[in-house]
């Protein structure tokens, strides 16, 4: 049986466009750190072991794409430096990171468990990502999803 997806083009696919920004492994690590409150270059570099030039490039790319913004600060007696803050576009990636964390916890965690968890500030309960259709139904089985052309799809 021929997959229906072969009937429409993916030339303007937003998944591919998003992965141009997020697809390199260090990018999500940088975002994890910023979401965890680690906003300064040297703190990120020491904590993650990301090579200096790689971190510089990832931060610059995330700023250029509007995911992060640079905020100046100055320690007493030092020059002005910048820390990195999430923009609204960056905050919208939080569910993506929670989903990646859950997948990693399920398949890649050490026997003692994950070193990171995400809790709800108000009640303290663990947070997880769920899928719901626009009619409000919870979707738990990936086989209940059907890819179909979106409004920007072009026939092949």
């Amino acid at each position: 049986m021929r997959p229906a997806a072969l009937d429409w083009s993916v030339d303007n696919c937003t998944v591919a466009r998003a992965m141009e920004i997020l697809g390199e492994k260090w990018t999500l690590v940088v975002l994890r750190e910023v979401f965890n409150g680690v906003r300064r270059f040297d703190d990120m570099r020491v904590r993650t072991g990301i090579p200096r030039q790689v971190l510089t490039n990832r931060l610059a790319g995330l700023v250029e794409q509007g995911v992060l913004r640079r905020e100046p600060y100055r320690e007493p007696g030092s020059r002005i430096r910048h820390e990195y803050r999430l923009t609204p576009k960056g905050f919208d990636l939080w569910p993506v990171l929670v989903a990646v964390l859950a997948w990693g916890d399920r398949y890649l965690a050490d026997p003692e468990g994950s070193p990171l968890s995400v809790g709800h500030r108000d009640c303290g309960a663990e947070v997880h990502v769920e899928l719901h259709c626009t009619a409000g139904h919870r979707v738990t089985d990936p086989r209940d999803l059907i890819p179909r052309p979106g409004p920007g799809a072009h026939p092949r």
Side-chain angles (χ1 to χ4, degrees):
M1 175 183 255
R2 184 176 187 277
L6 293 174
D7 293 336
W8 68 88
S9 172
V10 291
D11 292 342
N12 61 343
C13 176
T14 54
V15 171
R17 289 177 182 172
M19 293 314 295
E20 286 178 21
I21 299 168
L22 304 173
E24 197 278 330
K25 85 169 189 172
W26 290 118
T27 301
L28 289 181
V29 172
V30 167
L31 289 171
R32 177 199 67 199
E33 293 307 303
V34 177
F35 274 110
N36 287 338
V38 180
R39 298 183 182 101
R40 296 181 177 180
F41 183 94
D42 287 335
D43 293 338
M44 273 187 238
R45 191 179 57 74
V46 168
R47 181 169 154 90
T48 63
I50 299 174
R52 181 178 292 279
Q53 191 59 52
V54 172
L55 181 55
T56 297
N57 294 344
R58 293 305 159 265
L59 289 168
L62 291 168
V63 169
E64 180 182 322
Q65 291 295 327
V67 175
L68 297 177
R69 64 181 168 79
R70 289 167 36 117
E71 186 75 28
Y73 74 93
R74 181 191 299 236
E75 296 287 341
S78 296
R79 65 180 173 87
I80 291 178
R81 294 177 180 245
H82 292 89
E83 60 182 24
Y84 296 86
R85 301 279 181 149
L86 292 159
T87 64
K89 189 175 182 180
F91 277 112
D92 282 347
L93 289 168
W94 197 213
V96 174
L97 277 136
V98 171
V100 170
L101 173 64
W103 186 87
D105 288 353
R106 181 172 182 172
Y107 296 108
L108 306 170
D110 291 341
E112 60 273 9
S114 178
L116 177 64
S117 70
V118 179
H120 183 220
R121 184 182 307 272
D122 288 349
C123 72
E126 288 287 318
V127 172
H128 64 273
V129 176
E130 291 185 353
L131 297 177
H132 296 266
C133 70
T134 56
H137 304 110
R138 185 171 179 225
V139 180
T140 58
D141 187 341
R143 290 175 287 267
D144 291 337
L145 302 171
I146 48 172
R148 59 187 184 198
H154 303 288
R156 281 210 169 264

